[in-house]
Amino acid sequence: MSGQSLLVPGEITPVRTVPGNIRRPEYVGKPAPTPYTGPEVQDSDTVERMRVAGRIAAQAMEEAAKHIAPGVTTDELDRVAHDFMVDHGAYPSTLGYRGFPKSLCTSLNEVICHGIPDSTVLRDGDIVNLDVTAYINGVHGDNNATYLCGDVDEESRLLVERTRESLNRAIKAVRPGRQINVIGRVIESYAKRFGYGVVRDFTGHGINSSFHSGLIIPHYDSPHATTVMQPGMTFTIEPMLTLGTHAYDLWEDGWTVVTKDRKRTAQFEHTLVVTETGAEILTLP
């Protein structure tokens, strides 16, 4: 594994502005979102709007990823994604969500999720997760991926490749009539082949007009995830695999989640809609 030193918090720049003509999610300026009480199955109009939001989120992530290189700050990646979403009429969903101060999450190396973009400088050999969500026309589209920065060691590179594959396998397991826990069963069984940890306390989620609807998508075989998938259900799958334990610590910022043993971790995510025969990915560029 890479001999990189562990991460420490950097300096956070001022909150970026969003033009007043761009519609905000209802939670902006509030301590928490209003609990979602609507259906998990969405109508065709909502799904079509989610395709638009998902496409913008995927394109913004791609644009930010083009700038991943040694010497670039995570704050610069935030600027690129923020500007792209705003230029396309979308609001960055994370900005102001429960007080989160930035327009995407940047999670490096031992950071499992929710890393805050700041003055941290990318180093040769880092692995970098970008988590981007766009809100437009009243709905969200949420995706993330882990990228290689420069010359990455083999163990980390394989972790990234296999985490992407675990998501692909999980998407193929989606079928109407199956229980949600088939998703985690597929991910966990694949991860165990390589001795990887599977993060349990951070999950996929229902998504629609709500950023997090309350539907939970575990990435391990949970006996409690017995909800049956139906055509029109929209949710994310976002496995987080680790080179060691799935246990974690939380930084003092209240957001940044790091592996307890500080070993590396990778994540990939798509927003999906269940179809009559499987799943359609809504976060395609």
Side-chain angles (χ1 to χ4, degrees):
M1 181 179 146
S2 169
Q4 298 277 44
S5 59
L6 298 178
L7 294 165
V8 295
E11 295 295 320
I12 300 175
T13 60
V15 173
R16 302 186 196 282
T17 59
V18 178
N21 64 312
I22 293 178
R23 178 178 173 184
R24 272 81 167 145
E26 60 83 22
Y27 52 74
V28 174
K30 296 165 54 179
T34 302
Y36 178 71
T37 57
E40 299 296 347
V41 173
Q42 306 304 311
D43 59 28
S44 59
D45 172 69
T46 302
V47 172
E48 180 53 39
R49 286 184 284 128
M50 290 181 67
R51 285 191 187 96
V52 174
R55 182 166 60 248
I56 292 172
Q59 291 172 340
M61 185 173 72
E62 277 197 340
E63 193 61 33
K66 292 176 184 176
H67 293 75
I68 291 175
V72 175
T73 65
T74 55
D75 187 68
E76 174 64 9
L77 303 179
D78 180 79
R79 183 196 66 78
V80 173
H82 177 95
D83 289 351
F84 186 95
M85 285 185 273
V86 167
D87 288 347
H88 287 77
Y91 185 92
S93 300
T94 61
L95 186 62
Y97 179 77
R98 296 183 181 272
F100 192 83
K102 289 295 174 178
S103 298
L104 82 166
C105 300
T106 50
S107 300
L108 279 58
N109 301 338
E110 70 268 23
V111 179
I112 295 171
C113 57
H114 304 160
I116 301 174
D118 59 18
S119 60
T120 297
V121 175
L122 300 182
R123 303 164 296 183
D124 185 60
D126 283 342
I127 59 174
V128 184
N129 180 270
L130 303 181
D131 193 339
V132 182
T133 311
Y135 178 80
I136 189 170
N137 296 325
V139 296
H140 301 267
D142 184 4
N143 69 164
N144 77 54
T146 303
Y147 300 90
L148 309 181
C149 181
D151 184 17
V152 175
D153 68 277
E154 180 76 356
E155 185 179 36
S156 299
R157 186 183 62 78
L158 286 173
L159 173 69
V160 171
E161 287 183 5
R162 290 164 176 166
T163 305
R164 181 192 294 112
E165 175 63 15
S166 77
L167 172 60
N168 293 339
R169 290 178 179 229
I171 292 170
K172 290 176 183 176
V174 172
R175 290 282 188 284
R178 290 181 175 176
Q179 292 183 345
I180 289 290
N181 57 16
V182 71
I183 293 169
R185 189 176 308 136
V186 166
I187 292 167
E188 187 173 40
S189 63
Y190 179 72
K192 280 184 173 179
R193 289 165 50 180
F194 310 104
Y196 296 153
V198 180
V199 172
R200 303 167 76 89
D201 292 332
F202 300 90
T203 67
H205 52 89
I207 184 170
N208 38 66
S209 60
S210 172
F211 194 172
H212 300 87
S213 72
L215 177 67
I216 294 174
I217 313 295
H219 303 120
Y220 63 99
D221 187 3
S222 169
H224 306 295
T226 55
T227 300
V228 174
M229 290 182 268
Q230 304 174 56
M233 286 180 73
T234 49
F235 53 80
T236 71
I237 304 176
E238 44 188 299
M240 292 152 262
L241 305 186
T242 69
L243 289 176
T245 180
H246 64 76
Y248 67 92
D249 291 322
L250 185 66
W251 279 6
E252 289 185 2
D253 61 26
W255 284 104
T256 307
V257 181
V258 295
T259 55
K260 187 169 282 291
D261 57 12
R262 302 304 191 263
K263 291 186 177 180
R264 287 188 167 189
T265 175
Q267 181 183 19
F268 284 83
E269 173 187 21
H270 275 306
T271 295
L272 313 169
V273 59
V274 180
T275 68
E276 296 291 343
T277 57
E280 176 193 346
I281 298 172
L282 300 178
T283 38
L284 291 176

